[in-house]
Amino acid sequence: IKINPSNVRRSFSSVSILAPLASNHPSSFKSSRGVITMERNFNSSAQSASNGTPTGEKGGNRSDSAPVKVSMDELLALASCQPTALSLETMYRYGATPKGSKKAQPASEAQNFVNLTRLRNAQFLHRELPIRIAQRAIDLLTLPHGLNRTKEVQSIANTYLQYLQQLRDFPVPKNEETEKEFTTILSGLVMDRHSIPMAIARGLQSLKDERKAPVDARRLAEMEEALNRFFTARVGLRFLVEHHILSGNDENSDALYRKQVEAEGGLELLEDENYAMSTIDNDDQDMTGCIQRNCDPLKEVHRTAARVTRLCRESYGIAPEIEIVDCTPDKDAALPFTYVPHHLRYMLAELLKNSCRATVRK
């Protein structure tokens, strides 16, 4: 398996717009039939919460047994709002000053700048996140061909409704103290990365088992399109939250990633990755939140390959050798590549896992 980091650099160097942060809801969203269906699903989701049904992602201070107090009218009103489109460049400027840059100015001035920026950031998210969360709930409640009626999808939709209620009940941050409290609430939204995808996978499987017949290609394509819309928008939602959390402290995306993996009980998978990182330069002083001004694709490939190799060996007993070839031309070596390292790692990991699995099974 060969990877050319220069191809990665070229592929993503032109990316300027954050991958669709808003979804275009199906036409049935505004139809009377669609609203009736959603009301039935919404009510069953609220009933699940009152019965203490387990939900998808782990929240911060949220109680799984608390009834949802978000009305259908409020949900539809929020979901019909247009979310704010943001470019990666805007997000980079939107975060705090890069690590190490505070030394270039007096400490008091740097602190005032960061506090003002974070306060504005928090106020923006207080307005923006309810819109995006409501749209994700609607995405789930309008999934086609019975997928929206599975208990797993109902549970996830209910999770988003509880997130919405939690943000709605919290007042607009107006000072440093309330901003920190707001950020603590947001932290609960990003610690668990896998429970929602796994729950949707179980929902698909239960739908398949219930029908006891293969789903035709047309229906499968429609479900895939709807799920792609949901997951693409979910990336944007999580990115907004992660960027705000990381721009306010001395941690970087690696520290958040480690906490996430530790919460999932997979910390041992980072041992080989940490060794790979120790053999190359690891300077993150140009990080702003979870965006790196000059992301190094070669470094990210090394660390991801180490983790995937260990995962493959644990799963199959063997692992193919991953050969990493840096073919970056000298004229392009100094070009900055502003990107989100953990997004790049995720894409690389999925490609490598698929390649390793296919190679081992061959």
Side-chain angles (χ1 to χ4, degrees), residues 118 125 183 186-188 190 240-249 251 256 289:
R118 285 192 60 74
L125 292 180
T183 301
L186 296 183
S187 299
V190 297
L240 285 177
V241 175
E242 290 172 338
H243 189 59
H244 176 74
I245 293 171
L246 292 175
S247 64
N249 53 43
E251 293 182 337
L256 178 61

Side-chain angles (χ1 to χ4, degrees), residues 219-272:
R219 291 186 175 185
L220 191 62
E222 290 175 355
M223 285 193 287
E224 182 176 356
E225 180 183 358
L227 289 174
N228 281 340
R229 182 168 58 245
F230 168 77
F231 281 116
T232 300
R234 178 174 174 263
V235 169
L237 173 62
R238 290 177 61 87
F239 177 55
L240 285 177
V241 175
E242 290 172 338
H243 189 59
H244 176 74
I245 293 171
L246 292 175
S247 64
N249 53 43
D250 293 330
E251 293 182 337
N252 56 20
S253 60
D254 290 346
L256 178 61
Y257 171 63
R258 185 178 183 86
K259 288 182 179 179
Q260 292 169 336
V261 173
E262 185 175 10
E264 296 160 5
L267 199 57
E268 67 280 355
L269 291 176
L270 296 180
E271 293 179 2
D272 290 336

Side-chain angles (χ1 to χ4, degrees), residues 18 48 81 99 114 163 182 221 224 240 243 261 300 344 360:
L18 209 59
S48 296
C81 296
K99 291 178 175 60
V114 171
Y163 287 157
F182 180 68
E224 182 176 356
L240 285 177
H243 189 59
V261 173
E300 303 306 336
L344 182 57
V360 168

Side-chain angles (χ1 to χ4, degrees), residues 8 10 65-67 79 185 214 228 279 286 292 323:
V8 177
R10 285 195 296 271
S65 60
I185 292 177
N228 281 340
T279 62
D286 60 344
Q292 190 169 17
E323 181 183 358

Side-chain angles (χ1 to χ4, degrees), residues 160-233:
Y160 279 98
L161 294 177
Q162 293 195 21
Y163 287 157
L164 178 59
Q165 178 181 325
Q166 193 174 17
L167 290 176
R168 185 194 63 175
D169 292 344
F170 192 89
V172 178
K174 294 183 178 180
N175 52 47
E176 185 176 359
E177 182 180 356
T178 54
E179 184 276 317
K180 289 181 178 179
E181 293 176 3
F182 180 68
T183 301
T184 299
I185 292 177
L186 296 183
S187 299
L189 276 67
V190 297
M191 287 307 297
D192 182 13
R193 303 171 300 155
H194 298 308
S195 63
I196 283 184
M198 293 301 294
I200 289 181
R202 290 193 300 271
L204 286 168
Q205 186 62 45
S206 67
L207 188 64
K208 178 181 178 182
D209 295 342
E210 181 181 299
R211 295 186 174 183
K212 297 181 180 179
V215 181
D216 63 80
R218 179 184 62 83
R219 291 186 175 185
L220 191 62
E222 290 175 355
M223 285 193 287
E224 182 176 356
E225 180 183 358
L227 289 174
N228 281 340
R229 182 168 58 245
F230 168 77
F231 281 116
T232 300

